[in-house]
Amino acid sequence: MPNFETITVEKIGAVAVLTINRPDKLNALNQKVHEEGVAALDTLRRDDEVRVVVITGSGEKAFIAGADISEFAGKTPVTQRDLFHEKTFFNSIDNFPKPIIAMVNGFCLGGGNELALACDIRICSENSKFAQPEINLGIMCGGGGSQRLTNLIGEGRAMEMLLTGDMIDAETALKFGLVNYVYPVAELRAKTLELAEKIAEKAPIALQLSKEAVKFASRSNLDEGLRREVDLFAICFSTEDKQEGVAAFLEKRKPIFKGK
Ligand code: COA
């Protein structure tokens, strides 16, 4: 893993914890974070030892407090549009073949919320706060928030978050389905790693194809989605892990999956 300025990566067994490391700026997403996030995920994608990635923010206050607002000054519509059509951190997460969990530890705002939304599962601490506050800057979200948030929590709730820019607390985020679990600050890391490790034991190819199938659900109609699911299900039958999973069940033992 290269030495990054704004990101650290720690490997714990088959789980990699990617931490955005700008605590003095509440981990705001500047261009460097996008570039290094993309590069880090490219490396983790090719690392066969890594089966699950957890993304979090450094410090005790914030996951990510949004896009780095200081970089908005002086940006033209065309440069901003080009940047977000390029390989962004959001897109790299969305296209990442292995499971990614957002471990939200505090403010999760704007681009931070959009980054969490691009992950597969979101878990947060009790002190977390979520918002899409772009409206307060006279702009709207551009990292997928209007689409992924609507898919996840429904139009009425997404509308309220986008139109008011107000923060919601962790309990409300749980009620909305924005996060799967809320834990006390002291338990967040252990509980998240517990889930990550559980997923890391599953068959990697089946995990990848399951992700693809679930993501396809909000990007297609039901007939196309059902057909795609059967195709992906059938691909699982070409893997060694399928033989291992079935054999282990029949032999009443725990399977050992190799990602083949
Ligand atoms: N972009 C750039 N810098 C940011 C930032 C962002 N999105 N969010 C926080 N920071 C910086 C602050 O400017 C401050 O830097 P400084 O110490 O050099 O002045 C530092 O992070 C700490 O933030 P501060 O505002 O002092 O903390 P706070 O506890 O008083 O307030 C927030 C926390 C999250 C409520 C507040 O920082 C905030 O509203 N941030 C912007 C959120 C936002 O609109 N995000 C969406 C952007 S599209």
Side-chain angles (χ1 to χ4, degrees), residues 44-176:
L44 294 173
R45 172 196 286 260
R46 285 180 270 106
D47 185 340
D48 288 340
E49 284 174 9
V50 173
R51 294 197 175 178
V52 175
V53 173
V54 171
I55 298 187
T56 194
S58 68
E60 283 160 16
K61 212 166 153 185
F63 173 65
I64 301 167
D68 190 319
I69 299 170
S70 65
E71 289 190 347
F72 283 170
K75 281 259 167 62
T76 69
V78 173
T79 49
Q80 187 59 46
R81 189 168 194 262
D82 284 350
L83 275 176
F84 268 37
H85 274 316
E86 271 178 23
K87 236 184 156 193
T88 59
F89 202 178
F90 309 119
N91 295 339
S92 286
I93 293 171
D94 193 30
N95 294 322
F96 196 67
K98 305 173 191 184
I100 305 198
I101 301 173
M103 180 166 77
V104 176
N105 55 321
F107 288 116
C108 181
L109 310 176
N113 197 43
E114 292 174 298
L115 196 131
L117 285 165
C119 295
D120 302 319
I121 294 171
R122 286 146 293 281
I123 298 177
C124 77
S125 53
E126 284 171 345
N127 64 334
S128 295
K129 295 252 189 302
F130 299 80
Q132 292 294 155
E134 294 87 349
I135 199 77
N136 297 325
L137 297 171
I139 56 172
M140 63 170 283
C141 58
S146 65
Q147 307 301 298
R148 292 196 185 97
L149 188 64
T150 305
N151 285 336
L152 191 65
I153 69 173
E155 190 174 303
R157 287 165 168 169
M159 279 289 188
E160 186 176 340
M161 287 186 72
L162 263 70
L163 301 186
T164 66
D166 286 349
M167 290 192 202
I168 59 170
D169 62 16
E171 279 311 313
T172 309
L174 182 66
K175 196 173 73 189
F176 282 6

